[in-house]
Amino acid sequence: AEMIEEVRRQFREVKNEKGVTLLDAIKKVTAEGHIAEEDDVEPDSDRCVMISTRSSVKEMLAPGLYAVFTPLVAGFLIGPRMIMGLLAGCIGSAAMLAIMMGNAGGAWDNSKKLCEKLKIKKTDIGKACIVGDTVGDPFKDTSGPSLDILLKLMAMVSLLIAPLIDSKDDWELWYVGLPILVVALIATLVLMKVGILTWKDPLGSATGGGAVEGEKVAPVQEPSVTKAPVKAWSNDDSEAKPASS
């Protein structure tokens, strides 16, 4: 959300020496295909990198916390059988989820490439494919592969504590696991207090498009993708045309 707000701010406020905004420069390039060097506007990419880096570190606090504390609580509070079931369930569910993310992200990415090949990027179908690719790229490049790291981290923590809980009965070391559980709960409350763990919509207070804060924004119209059917392929591999009804 912070990155989106920063990009929108730069569209409105970042200007060159002639007073041309970044948004106006992008519109001119889109319409004419080129822009003079003196009319070009340089975005503040350093600030975007700073926001991305800070956000990535902050957003990894909760996943890292639970990846470490969950095997500890399961192993010490309950016992070895609990941690075996935990790892088995995590491996099975995370592997299926990672495969789904990789396949779905690849499908969304390929749909945008198909739109580029058919030269329909500026249609409602092309716009929908671009939105899908926006979700598909992190699906296949970050979210899916990150599950492998999660599994490895939980497995390594489990291996480290395995000698300590070997041959122990269930609930035998509950007095060790209970303080760890309390620490995890306190850490969760702290993350909720500082706003890292929250149910709030990160874009709830965002302004739409390039609108100035406080300005009324027109509701977004749902694209009528069904009104423009397009052939996915043709025999002569030429530009696709709308199918006749």
Side-chain angles (χ1 to χ4, degrees):
E2 187 179 0
M3 179 69 75
I4 293 174
E5 283 296 297
E6 174 60 22
V7 171
R8 290 174 176 173
R9 184 196 66 81
Q10 292 194 24
F11 280 167
R12 298 191 305 263
E13 300 178 6
V14 175
K15 302 177 181 179
N16 60 10
E17 296 178 354
K18 293 184 176 181
V20 179
T21 63
L22 180 60
L23 181 60
D24 293 336
I26 293 175
K27 288 181 179 179
K28 185 175 182 180
V29 171
T30 304
E32 301 178 4
H34 62 86
I35 188 172
E37 185 176 353
E38 59 270 13
D39 293 331
D40 197 8
V41 182
E42 186 72 21
D44 188 4
S45 56
D46 291 341
R47 181 169 175 80
C48 292
V49 172
M50 182 268 293
I51 292 174
S52 177
T53 305
R54 184 178 60 194
S55 257
S56 63
V57 174
K58 183 178 71 173
E59 296 296 332
M60 280 306 298
L61 289 176
L65 173 74
Y66 295 131
V68 172
F69 276 96
T70 301
L72 294 177
V73 172
F76 286 115
L77 184 63
I78 302 178
R81 292 191 298 176
M82 173 64 182
I83 200 170
M84 289 172 59
L86 173 69
L87 291 177
C90 287
I91 292 172
S93 59
M96 295 300 296
L97 187 60
I99 293 173
M100 183 276 293
M101 287 182 170
N103 290 337
W108 277 324
D109 184 41
N110 290 335
S111 68
K112 191 194 76 168
K113 294 177 180 177
L114 179 62
C115 289
E116 293 175 351
K117 180 179 180 181
L118 298 178
K119 299 180 180 179
I120 56 173
K121 284 185 65 176
K122 295 185 178 181
T123 65
D124 288 339
I125 298 176
K127 293 176 182 178
C129 289
I130 292 174
V131 174
D133 180 63
T134 305
V135 182
D137 278 339
F139 244 52
K140 66 183 179 64
D141 295 332
T142 58
S143 299
S146 67
L147 291 174
D148 299 332
I149 302 173
L150 173 67
L151 293 177
K152 291 178 181 178
L153 181 56
M154 295 183 67
M156 288 301 299
V157 174
S158 302
L159 286 174
L160 289 175
I161 67 172
L164 302 177
I165 61 176
D166 185 26
S167 303
K168 301 293 183 181
D169 295 330
D170 293 345
W171 304 100
E172 185 175 346
L173 296 176
W174 65 269
Y175 54 87
V176 178
L178 186 59
I180 300 175
L181 177 61
V182 173
V183 172
L185 292 176
I186 294 175
T188 300
L189 294 176
V190 171
L191 293 178
M192 293 174 63
K193 182 68 176 179
V194 298
I196 295 179
L197 287 179
T198 178
W199 290 102
K200 294 181 181 179
D201 183 6
L203 296 177
S205 59
T207 56
V212 181
E213 188 174 354
E215 180 181 339
K216 292 184 178 179
V217 182
V220 179
Q221 297 291 334
E222 184 175 332
S224 54
V225 295
T226 57
K227 294 183 180 179
V230 175
K231 294 180 181 179
W233 56 81
S234 58
N235 293 332
D236 56 355
D237 199 22
S238 60
E239 179 178 350
K241 299 179 180 179
S244 59
S245 56

